[in-house]
């Protein structure tokens, strides 16, 4: 009986830890985006951020996750509501694929900007794989993107990685993005699809308020 009681306590503790994990990851996403944007000369160009339809932030993506279930990491997406700023976040998982030039280290932070409606529709599906000519490109770094290559300007999705303090554009060809219904259930109390979260005006959870506030701070509402 004593052993069963200890096993029950252990299971309860692990369950509580799992439920807190997405909320802790929201705080990590806030820290990542704040640190990157606080250095304009080495951040996402402001004009690209202002034009983006959606953003994906994956803090602490681990290369070693290849060995365990081939998962790169977990993060969040948010898309613009016309004239109302950024939407409540949906949870995502990033799996597989090639991350182009690795900057070193076993862990990196990844940010993606979705630049048009077609890309946003793909992002809000239950699963899609990045690939195809012109679909995804390494994002330029700095105050303005106007001086960067035309290839980046034509891409549906632009991507960046930060590892060991170095922030640079990366290629994400072949990476798969899936919505994470379990993490959404932690944030919203039920397994809401990301498309419903973004398009139906779901209220922003208290735990996600700092992230959405930060996004609105760095990029004005889009009409």
């Amino acid at each position: 009986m004593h052993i069963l009681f200890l096993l029950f306590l252990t299971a309860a503790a692990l369950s509580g830890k799992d439920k807190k994990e997405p909320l802790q990851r929201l705080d990590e996403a806030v820290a990542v985006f704040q640190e990157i944007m606080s250095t304009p000369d080495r951040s996402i160009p402001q004009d690209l951020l202002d034009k983006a339809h959606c953003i994906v932030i994956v803090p602490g993506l681990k290369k070693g996750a290849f060995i365990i279930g081939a998962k790169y990491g977990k993060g969040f997406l948010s898309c613009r509501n016309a004239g109302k700023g950024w939407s409540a976040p949906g949870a995502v998982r990033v799996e597989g694929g090639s991350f182009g030039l690795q900057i070193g280290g076993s862990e990196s932070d990844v940010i993606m900007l979705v630049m048009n409606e077609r890309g946003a529709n793909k992002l809000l599906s239950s699963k899609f794989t990045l690939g195809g000519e012109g679909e995804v490109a390494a994002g330029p770094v700095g105050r303005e993107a106007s001086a960067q290559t035309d290839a980046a300007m034509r891409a549906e999705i632009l991507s960046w990685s930060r590892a060991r303090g170095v922030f640079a554009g990366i290629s994400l060809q072949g990476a798969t993005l899936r919505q994470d219904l379990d993490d959404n259930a932690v944030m919203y109390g039920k397994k809401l699809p990301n498309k419903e979260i973004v398009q139906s005006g779901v209220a922003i959870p208290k735990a996600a308020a700092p992230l959405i506030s930060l996004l609105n701070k760095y990029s004005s509402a889009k009409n």
Side-chain angles (χ1 to χ4, degrees):
M1 180 66 70
H2 182 65
I3 294 175
L4 289 175
F5 180 70
L6 290 176
L7 289 173
F8 173 79
L9 290 179
T10 302
L14 290 173
S15 176
K17 181 180 179 180
D18 290 341
K19 289 180 178 179
K20 290 179 181 178
E21 185 183 349
L23 307 183
Q24 293 170 346
R25 196 176 301 114
L26 281 167
D27 292 336
E28 293 169 5
V30 170
V32 166
F33 191 69
Q34 175 70 70
E35 289 167 7
I36 288 172
M37 296 305 296
S38 62
T39 309
D41 290 337
R42 300 178 183 176
S43 68
I44 296 170
Q46 188 65 51
D47 50 348
L48 290 180
L49 184 58
D50 289 343
K51 293 175 184 175
H53 286 237
C54 304
I55 189 170
V56 179
I57 303 174
V58 182
L61 180 149
K62 295 177 176 61
K63 288 195 291 184
F66 252 133
I67 302 170
I68 307 173
K71 292 182 181 179
Y72 276 113
K74 292 185 174 186
F76 305 95
L77 63 81
S78 177
C79 298
R80 294 186 193 270
N81 289 320
K84 299 179 182 178
W86 295 89
S87 71
V92 295
R93 289 183 289 158
V94 182
E95 305 169 343
S98 170
F99 274 68
L101 177 64
Q102 294 294 330
I103 308 171
S106 61
E107 183 173 297
S108 60
D109 305 311
V110 171
I111 293 181
M112 288 171 263
L113 291 185
V114 179
M115 303 308 297
N116 57 34
E117 186 174 353
R118 182 182 175 188
N121 289 335
K122 292 178 182 178
L123 179 67
L124 295 177
S125 62
S126 60
K127 169 188 172 183
F128 86 100
T129 300
L130 296 166
E133 185 177 353
E135 183 180 82
V136 58
V141 176
R143 292 178 181 271
E144 301 293 333
S146 56
Q148 304 296 331
T149 64
D150 290 339
M153 300 306 99
R154 294 194 301 267
E156 289 182 354
I157 300 172
L158 298 172
S159 53
W160 293 264
S161 174
R162 183 184 68 165
R164 294 185 177 178
V166 179
F167 185 65
I170 57 165
S171 171
L172 289 171
Q173 294 287 346
T176 299
L177 272 72
R178 301 174 184 266
Q179 61 183 356
D180 194 320
L181 296 178
D182 291 333
D183 280 3
N184 282 345
V186 173
M187 292 191 292
Y188 298 98
K190 55 183 176 180
K191 295 184 176 182
L192 292 177
N194 286 345
K195 187 173 183 178
E196 181 177 347
I197 292 171
V198 167
Q199 295 184 348
S200 65
V202 172
I204 298 170
K206 182 178 180 181
L211 176 60
I212 303 307
S213 177
L214 191 64
L215 290 174
N216 287 325
K217 171 185 175 182
Y218 279 102
S219 185
S220 58
K222 187 175 184 179
N223 295 323

